[in-house]
Amino acid sequence: MLRGSKLSVFRRYVSKNTVINTDYKLGSADLPHDAVVFSMVQPTGKFHLGNYLGATRVWKELCEMKQPEQKLVFGVADLHAVTVPKPDAKEFRQLRHEAIASILSVGVDPERASLMYQSALPEHATLHWMLSTLAPMGYLNRMTQWKSKSNLKEDREASDKEIGAVKLGLFSYPVLQAADILIYRATHVPVGDDQSQHLELTRTLAENFNKLYKTDYFPLPNTLLAPTKKILSLISPETKKMSKSDPNQDGVIYVNDTPDEITRKIRKARTDSITDRFNYDPQARPGVSNLINIVSGILQVPIQQVEEQVSKFSNYGEFKNYVTEVVVEELRQPRENFQRYMEDPSYLESVVTKGTAEAQEMTQKTINDVMKIMGFR
Ligand code: AMP
Ligand code: TRP
């Protein structure tokens, strides 16, 4: 059933392009005064520089720019996290706490944004079911995540046995993600590049629902991408994005790594021996370009400006010292904040209680409306 998707059949499902690439300053995205912004991270471990530059720092900036009528909801996707089994309940509980502490530690303001755990709002799962009735298996089959998380390779046919072992929850992961977004009737979703595919599906499901019930109830959410939408592994910048699950952890800088760890990892970062002058050329020089991109993202200045700055260095030592300084300085505060928040569980609890109540007003209204539109009420 999951086999043999023919692209042409699915062309009609490809929604119109609503991807907003933001500039170095997020203000350029110019969100409408009544935007509803929604995003989540999985509680699968510590945050790394990719999560930070691709997503959570953008959330912080959205808090800073928030206009009175805008709504911001950020969450911990704990239901998604169990699509890769988490048999140790104690550890899982800890990961959930850490995720909230991490979101706060990068500066997301709980007075301006509602923070919550996905599992505390059952309306997400209810809408997931409704949307699953509209989600074509062929479309889900083309999504890449269930394949990568099942260790199936894109470039070869998987065996029946391998496909037969894939769990339904992992396969329908993107439908739950669509429900997460649509339950808030979100208009803007700030994420990294790897989530673009899931956002496309979300727009398709919103369109399918609207068409079927002859309504315009669900807005088609925009994908909000930062210029640092794809931070690469320091060790394999030509092939891999920075990822928690990377077996080579030297390629991953965590937001709460110590300055010594950051220094060591950047020193080991793969570069090249093309020249000991430094310029941005992602094709020919993926390692150097990734480091330049990281600096540009942190300082929020154009790549060219970083290129000018680093062009004066004449060896890798100087270049890497500079990158290290920028990264260490940027992560100092989040690292300290994280320790502080983890020592204050009752504060974390209070933030989530408030955020959940605010979110619930929105989710209950949507599910009531959807039930009415569909004829359940
Ligand atoms: P996850 O850790 O998979 O829950 O991802 C949380 C957020 O970080 C999502 O918006 C991802 O798109 C984003 N993200 C994850 N890895 C990277 C990366 N290497 N570069 C940029 N953004 C990323
Ligand atoms: N799939 C996202 C990730 O791995 C997490 C996520 C779940 C999400 N639901 C979402 C992101 C809704 C944005 C909107 O990072």
Side-chain angles (χ1 to χ4, degrees):
M1 178 66 204
L2 306 181
R3 285 274 190 84
S5 54
K6 292 196 181 55
L7 267 177
S8 55
V9 177
F10 298 104
R11 201 159 288 148
R12 71 194 170 91
Y13 293 120
V14 176
S15 313
K16 56 181 162 295
N17 190 359
T18 39
V19 178
I20 302 174
N21 283 289
T22 67
D23 203 343
Y24 294 90
K25 298 268 182 276
L26 190 68
S28 63
D30 222 1
L31 300 194
H33 69 98
D34 55 354
V36 179
V37 179
F38 176 81
S39 195
M40 292 213 269
V41 280
Q42 291 198 60
T44 41
K46 300 168 285 181
F47 282 12
H48 55 65
L49 207 51
N51 302 137
Y52 177 66
L53 291 175
T56 54
R57 195 190 54 181
V58 178
W59 303 2
K60 173 192 122 179
E61 285 168 26
L62 288 161
C63 287
E64 290 165 354
M65 292 163 38
K66 182 180 180 306
Q67 297 173 32
E69 281 175 55
Q70 290 176 346
K71 289 207 164 92
L72 310 179
V73 183
F74 300 123
V76 175
D78 49 4
L79 294 177
H80 278 112
V82 296
T83 56
V84 174
K86 301 276 178 299
D88 186 335
K90 195 169 159 219
E91 187 183 296
F92 185 49
R93 207 169 291 130
Q94 176 73 5
L95 290 174
R96 293 168 77 251
H97 285 305
E98 284 180 6
I100 294 287
S102 296
I103 294 172
L104 290 171
S105 72
V106 303
V108 172
D109 179 355
E111 294 300 319
R112 294 175 173 224
S114 311
L115 303 190
M116 50 78 180
Y117 295 116
Q118 180 188 31
S119 60
L121 297 147
E123 294 79 15
H124 287 238
T126 308
L127 187 60
H128 163 252
W129 182 257
M130 306 306 187
L131 295 178
S132 76
T133 65
L134 305 174
M137 291 281 277
Y139 194 154
L140 296 179
N141 189 24
R142 287 196 290 117
M143 306 259 109
T144 55
Q145 186 168 288
W146 67 271
K147 293 173 199 153
S148 61
K149 291 210 168 162
S150 313
N151 289 323
L152 305 180
K153 298 274 176 290
E154 283 283 336
D155 55 359
R156 70 167 172 84
E157 275 272 290
S159 69
D160 284 346
K161 192 165 170 230
E162 284 171 319
I163 291 180
V166 174
K167 304 294 187 289
L168 176 60
L170 184 60
F171 190 64
S172 73
Y173 178 118
V175 183
L176 178 58
Q177 181 159 350
D180 297 333
I181 296 166
L182 297 180
I183 197 80
Y184 296 94
R185 302 175 76 202
T187 57
H188 293 79
V189 184
V191 281
D193 199 35
D194 58 347
Q195 298 302 314
S196 296
Q197 222 184 31
H198 295 160
L199 266 290
E200 271 293 325
L201 173 75
T202 305
R203 288 188 282 272
T204 298
L205 294 181
E207 272 181 328
N208 288 359
F209 181 93
N210 289 348
K211 256 187 225 147
L212 186 64
Y213 293 103
K214 300 189 179 51
T215 168
D216 54 4
Y217 186 71
F218 287 122
L220 305 191
N222 297 284
T223 312
L224 208 53
L225 292 175
T228 40
K229 57 187 179 241
K230 193 167 186 185
I231 301 296
L232 303 166
S233 153
L234 301 187
I235 299 295
S236 317
E238 55 297 290
T239 52
K240 283 193 196 163
K241 64 170 187 157
M242 191 174 282
S243 155
K244 286 168 219 170
S245 55
D246 193 329
N248 192 339
Q249 287 289 297
D250 282 347
V252 190
I253 294 182
Y254 289 100
V255 171
N256 39 16
D257 273 349
T258 62
D260 282 352
E261 280 165 318
I262 296 171
T263 308
R264 185 182 64 79
K265 287 177 183 175
I266 294 178
R267 201 172 290 145
K268 280 187 81 171
R270 182 100 179 266
T271 42
D272 57 60
S273 46
I274 293 179
T275 110
D276 49 14
R277 295 285 159 179
F278 306 99
N279 67 314
Y280 184 76
D281 181 348
Q283 292 301 322
R285 312 189 72 183
V288 169
S289 304
N290 190 35
L291 295 176
I292 291 178
N293 190 32
I294 288 172
V295 171
S296 144
I298 289 178
L299 300 180
Q300 294 187 294
V301 296
I303 295 280
Q304 273 165 325
Q305 206 169 311
V306 181
E307 271 187 312
E308 273 164 36
Q309 172 72 15
V310 300
S311 65
K312 59 180 192 241
F313 300 136
S314 57
N315 62 60
Y316 273 99
E318 286 176 20
F319 173 60
K320 287 187 168 181
N321 282 345
Y322 171 69
V323 177
T324 304
E325 260 171 44
V326 171
V327 175
V328 166
E329 189 47 41
E330 177 74 1
L331 299 185
R332 190 181 308 281
Q333 195 64 53
R335 186 162 71 94
E336 286 170 14
N337 292 345
F338 180 78
Q339 311 299 356
R340 221 181 47 242
Y341 287 126
M342 285 308 287
E343 283 159 18
D344 196 352
S346 59
Y347 176 68
L348 296 184
E349 194 73 41
S350 69
V351 163
V352 170
T353 304
K354 171 180 167 293
T356 306
E358 291 161 352
Q360 197 155 44
E361 274 185 32
M362 302 166 78
T363 59
Q364 286 184 342
K365 165 144 192 359
T366 304
I367 215 69
N368 276 327
D369 292 345
V370 167
M371 292 293 212
K372 271 190 215 141
I373 291 170
M374 293 179 74
F376 285 101
R377 303 262 158 87

Coordinates of all heavy atoms in Angstrom, one line a residue, residues 258-307:
T258 N 29.5 23.8 27.3 CA 30.4 24.8 28.0 C 31.3 25.5 26.9 O 31.5 24.9 25.8 CB 31.4 24.1 29.0 OG1 32.2 23.2 28.2 CG2 30.6 23.3 30.0
P259 N 31.9 26.6 27.2 CA 32.8 27.3 26.3 C 33.9 26.3 25.8 O 34.3 26.3 24.7 CB 33.3 28.5 27.1 CG 32.2 28.8 28.1 CD 31.6 27.5 28.4
D260 N 34.4 25.5 26.7 CA 35.5 24.5 26.4 C 35.0 23.5 25.3 O 35.7 23.2 24.4 CB 36.0 23.8 27.6 CG 36.9 24.6 28.4 OD1 37.2 25.7 27.9 OD2 37.2 24.2 29.5
E261 N 33.7 23.0 25.5 CA 33.2 22.1 24.6 C 33.0 22.8 23.2 O 33.3 22.2 22.2 CB 31.9 21.5 25.1 CG 32.0 20.4 26.1 CD 30.7 20.1 26.8 OE1 30.0 21.1 27.2 OE2 30.5 19.0 27.1
I262 N 32.5 24.0 23.2 CA 32.3 24.7 22.0 C 33.6 24.9 21.2 O 33.7 24.7 20.0 CB 31.5 26.0 22.2 CG1 30.2 25.8 22.8 CG2 31.4 26.9 20.9 CD1 29.4 27.0 23.3
T263 N 34.6 25.3 22.0 CA 35.9 25.5 21.4 C 36.4 24.3 20.8 O 36.9 24.3 19.6 CB 36.9 26.0 22.5 OG1 36.3 27.1 23.2 CG2 38.3 26.4 22.0
R264 N 36.3 23.2 21.5 CA 36.8 21.9 21.0 C 36.1 21.5 19.7 O 36.7 21.1 18.7 CB 36.6 20.8 22.0 CG 37.2 19.4 21.7 CD 37.0 18.4 22.7 NE 35.6 18.1 22.9 CZ 34.9 17.3 22.1 NH1 35.4 16.7 21.1 NH2 33.6 17.1 22.3
K265 N 34.8 21.6 19.7 CA 34.0 21.2 18.5 C 34.3 22.1 17.3 O 34.4 21.6 16.2 CB 32.5 21.2 18.8 CG 32.1 20.1 19.8 CD 30.6 20.1 20.1 CE 30.2 19.1 21.1 NZ 28.9 19.2 21.6
I266 N 34.4 23.4 17.5 CA 34.7 24.2 16.4 C 36.1 24.0 15.9 O 36.4 24.0 14.7 CB 34.5 25.7 16.7 CG1 33.0 25.9 16.9 CG2 35.0 26.6 15.6 CD1 32.5 27.3 17.3
R267 N 37.0 23.7 16.8 CA 38.4 23.4 16.4 C 38.4 22.1 15.5 O 39.1 22.1 14.5 CB 39.3 23.2 17.6 CG 40.8 23.3 17.2 CD 41.7 23.3 18.5 NE 41.5 24.5 19.3 CZ 41.6 24.5 20.7 NH1 41.8 23.4 21.3 NH2 41.4 25.6 21.3
K268 N 37.5 21.2 15.8 CA 37.5 19.9 15.0 C 36.6 20.0 13.7 O 36.6 19.1 12.9 CB 36.9 18.8 15.9 CG 37.9 18.2 16.8 CD 37.3 16.9 17.5 CE 37.3 15.7 16.6 NZ 36.9 14.5 17.4
A269 N 35.9 21.2 13.6 CA 35.0 21.3 12.5 C 35.7 21.1 11.2 O 36.8 21.6 10.9 CB 34.3 22.7 12.5
R270 N 35.0 20.3 10.3 CA 35.6 20.0 9.0 C 35.6 21.2 8.1 O 34.6 21.9 8.0 CB 34.7 18.9 8.4 CG 35.1 18.4 7.1 CD 35.8 17.1 7.2 NE 36.1 16.8 5.8 CZ 35.2 16.0 5.1 NH1 34.2 15.5 5.6 NH2 35.5 15.8 3.8
T271 N 36.8 21.6 7.6 CA 36.8 22.7 6.6 C 37.4 22.2 5.3 O 37.0 21.2 4.8 CB 37.6 23.9 7.2 OG1 38.8 23.4 7.9 CG2 36.8 24.6 8.3
D272 N 38.4 22.9 4.8 CA 39.0 22.4 3.5 C 40.4 23.0 3.4 O 40.8 23.8 4.3 CB 38.1 22.8 2.3 CG 38.0 24.3 2.3 OD1 39.0 25.1 2.2 OD2 36.8 24.8 2.3
S273 N 41.1 22.6 2.4 CA 42.4 23.2 2.2 C 42.5 23.9 0.9 O 43.6 24.0 0.3 CB 43.5 22.1 2.3 OG 43.1 21.0 1.5
I274 N 41.4 24.5 0.5 CA 41.3 25.1 -0.8 C 42.2 26.4 -0.8 O 43.1 26.6 -1.6 CB 39.9 25.5 -1.2 CG1 39.1 24.2 -1.5 CG2 39.8 26.4 -2.4 CD1 37.7 24.4 -1.8
T275 N 42.0 27.2 0.2 CA 43.0 28.3 0.5 C 42.8 28.7 1.9 O 41.8 28.3 2.6 CB 42.6 29.6 -0.4 OG1 42.2 30.6 0.5 CG2 41.6 29.4 -1.4
D276 N 43.7 29.4 2.5 CA 43.5 29.8 3.8 C 43.0 31.2 3.9 O 43.2 32.0 4.8 CB 44.8 29.6 4.7 CG 46.0 30.2 4.0 OD1 45.9 30.9 3.0 OD2 47.1 29.8 4.5
R277 N 42.2 31.6 2.8 CA 41.4 32.8 2.9 C 40.0 32.3 3.0 O 39.7 31.2 2.5 CB 41.6 33.6 1.6 CG 42.9 34.2 1.4 CD 43.1 35.3 2.4 NE 44.5 35.6 2.6 CZ 44.9 36.6 3.4 NH1 44.1 37.4 4.0 NH2 46.2 36.8 3.6
F278 N 39.1 33.1 3.5 CA 37.8 32.5 3.8 C 36.7 33.2 3.1 O 36.5 34.5 3.2 CB 37.5 32.6 5.3 CG 38.7 31.9 6.0 CD1 39.7 32.6 6.6 CD2 38.7 30.5 6.1 CE1 40.8 32.0 7.2 CE2 39.8 29.9 6.7 CZ 40.8 30.6 7.2
N279 N 35.9 32.5 2.3 CA 34.8 33.1 1.6 C 33.6 32.1 1.7 O 33.7 30.9 2.0 CB 35.1 33.4 0.2 CG 35.4 32.1 -0.6 OD1 36.1 31.2 -0.2 ND2 34.8 32.1 -1.8
Y280 N 32.4 32.6 1.3 CA 31.2 31.8 1.4 C 30.9 31.2 0.0 O 30.7 31.9 -1.0 CB 30.0 32.8 1.7 CG 28.7 32.1 2.0 CD1 28.5 31.4 3.1 CD2 27.7 32.2 1.0 CE1 27.2 30.7 3.3 CE2 26.5 31.5 1.2 CZ 26.3 30.8 2.3 OH 25.1 30.2 2.5
D281 N 31.0 29.9 0.0 CA 30.7 29.1 -1.2 C 30.2 27.7 -0.8 O 31.0 26.8 -0.7 CB 32.0 29.0 -2.0 CG 31.8 28.3 -3.4 OD1 30.8 27.7 -3.5 OD2 32.7 28.3 -4.2
P282 N 28.9 27.6 -0.6 CA 28.3 26.4 0.0 C 28.6 25.1 -0.8 O 28.8 24.1 -0.2 CB 26.8 26.6 0.1 CG 26.7 28.1 -0.1 CD 27.9 28.6 -0.8
Q283 N 28.8 25.3 -2.1 CA 29.0 24.1 -2.9 C 30.5 23.6 -2.8 O 30.7 22.5 -2.4 CB 28.8 24.4 -4.4 CG 27.4 24.7 -4.8 CD 26.5 23.5 -4.5 OE1 26.9 22.3 -4.7 NE2 25.3 23.8 -4.1
A284 N 31.4 24.5 -3.0 CA 32.8 24.2 -3.0 C 33.4 24.1 -1.6 O 34.3 23.3 -1.3 CB 33.6 25.2 -3.8
R285 N 32.8 24.9 -0.6 CA 33.4 25.0 0.7 C 32.3 24.9 1.8 O 32.1 25.9 2.5 CB 34.2 26.3 0.8 CG 35.1 26.6 -0.3 CD 36.0 27.8 -0.1 NE 37.0 27.5 0.9 CZ 37.9 28.4 1.4 NH1 37.8 29.7 1.0 NH2 38.8 28.1 2.3
P286 N 31.7 23.7 1.9 CA 30.5 23.6 2.8 C 30.9 23.9 4.2 O 30.1 24.5 5.0 CB 30.0 22.2 2.6 CG 31.1 21.4 1.9 CD 31.9 22.5 1.1
G287 N 32.0 23.4 4.7 CA 32.4 23.6 6.1 C 32.6 25.1 6.4 O 32.0 25.6 7.4
V288 N 33.4 25.7 5.6 CA 33.7 27.2 5.9 C 32.4 27.9 5.8 O 32.1 28.8 6.6 CB 34.8 27.7 4.8 CG1 34.9 29.2 4.9 CG2 36.1 27.0 5.1
S289 N 31.6 27.6 4.8 CA 30.3 28.4 4.5 C 29.4 28.2 5.7 O 28.7 29.1 6.1 CB 29.7 27.9 3.2 OG 30.6 28.1 2.2
N290 N 29.3 26.9 6.2 CA 28.5 26.7 7.4 C 28.9 27.6 8.6 O 28.0 28.2 9.2 CB 28.5 25.2 7.8 CG 27.5 24.8 8.8 OD1 26.4 25.3 8.8 ND2 27.9 23.9 9.7
L291 N 30.2 27.7 8.8 CA 30.6 28.5 9.9 C 30.3 30.0 9.7 O 29.9 30.7 10.6 CB 32.1 28.3 10.2 CG 32.5 26.9 10.6 CD1 34.1 26.8 10.8 CD2 31.9 26.5 12.0
I292 N 30.5 30.4 8.4 CA 30.1 31.8 8.1 C 28.6 32.0 8.3 O 28.2 33.1 8.8 CB 30.6 32.2 6.6 CG1 32.1 32.2 6.6 CG2 30.0 33.5 6.2 CD1 32.7 32.5 5.2
N293 N 27.8 31.1 7.9 CA 26.4 31.2 8.0 C 26.0 31.3 9.5 O 25.1 32.0 9.9 CB 25.7 29.9 7.3 CG 24.2 30.1 7.2 OD1 23.7 31.2 7.1 ND2 23.5 28.9 7.3
I294 N 26.7 30.5 10.3 CA 26.4 30.5 11.8 C 26.7 31.9 12.3 O 25.8 32.5 13.0 CB 27.2 29.4 12.5 CG1 26.6 28.0 12.2 CG2 27.2 29.6 14.0 CD1 27.5 26.8 12.7
V295 N 27.8 32.4 12.0 CA 28.2 33.8 12.5 C 27.2 34.8 12.0 O 26.7 35.6 12.7 CB 29.6 34.2 12.0 CG1 29.9 35.6 12.4 CG2 30.6 33.2 12.7
S296 N 26.8 34.7 10.7 CA 25.9 35.7 10.1 C 24.5 35.6 10.8 O 23.9 36.6 11.1 CB 25.8 35.4 8.6 OG 24.5 35.6 8.1
G297 N 24.1 34.3 11.1 CA 22.9 34.1 11.8 C 22.9 34.7 13.2 O 22.0 35.4 13.6
I298 N 24.0 34.5 13.9 CA 24.1 35.0 15.3 C 24.1 36.5 15.3 O 23.4 37.1 16.1 CB 25.3 34.3 16.0 CG1 25.1 32.9 16.2 CG2 25.6 35.1 17.3 CD1 26.2 32.1 16.9
L299 N 25.0 37.0 14.5 CA 25.1 38.5 14.5 C 24.0 39.2 13.8 O 23.9 40.5 13.9 CB 26.5 38.9 14.0 CG 27.7 38.3 14.7 CD1 29.0 38.8 14.0 CD2 27.8 38.7 16.2
Q300 N 23.3 38.5 13.0 CA 22.2 39.0 12.2 C 22.7 40.1 11.3 O 22.2 41.2 11.2 CB 21.0 39.5 13.1 CG 20.4 38.4 13.8 CD 19.2 38.8 14.6 OE1 19.3 39.5 15.6 NE2 18.0 38.3 14.2
V301 N 23.7 39.7 10.6 CA 24.2 40.6 9.5 C 24.3 39.8 8.3 O 24.5 38.5 8.3 CB 25.6 41.2 9.9 CG1 25.5 42.1 11.1 CG2 26.7 40.1 10.1
P302 N 24.3 40.4 7.1 CA 24.4 39.6 5.8 C 25.7 38.8 5.7 O 26.7 39.3 6.3 CB 24.3 40.7 4.7 CG 23.8 41.9 5.4 CD 24.1 41.8 6.8
I303 N 25.6 37.7 5.0 CA 26.8 36.9 4.8 C 28.0 37.7 4.3 O 29.1 37.5 4.8 CB 26.5 35.8 3.7 CG1 25.4 34.9 4.1 CG2 27.7 35.1 3.2 CD1 25.8 33.8 5.0
Q304 N 27.7 38.6 3.4 CA 28.8 39.4 2.8 C 29.6 40.2 3.9 O 30.8 40.3 3.8 CB 28.3 40.5 1.9 CG 28.1 40.0 0.5 CD 27.2 41.0 -0.3 OE1 26.3 41.6 0.3 NE2 27.5 41.2 -1.6
Q305 N 28.8 40.7 4.9 CA 29.5 41.4 5.9 C 30.4 40.5 6.7 O 31.5 40.9 7.1 CB 28.4 42.0 6.8 CG 28.9 43.3 7.5 CD 27.7 44.0 8.2 OE1 26.7 44.2 7.6 NE2 27.9 44.3 9.5
V306 N 30.0 39.3 7.0 CA 30.9 38.3 7.7 C 32.1 38.0 6.8 O 33.2 37.9 7.3 CB 30.1 37.0 8.1 CG1 31.0 36.1 8.8 CG2 28.8 37.4 8.9
E307 N 31.8 37.8 5.5 CA 32.9 37.5 4.6 C 34.0 38.6 4.7 O 35.2 38.3 4.7 CB 32.4 37.4 3.1 CG 32.0 36.1 2.7 CD 31.6 36.0 1.3 OE1 30.9 36.9 0.8 OE2 32.1 35.1 0.6

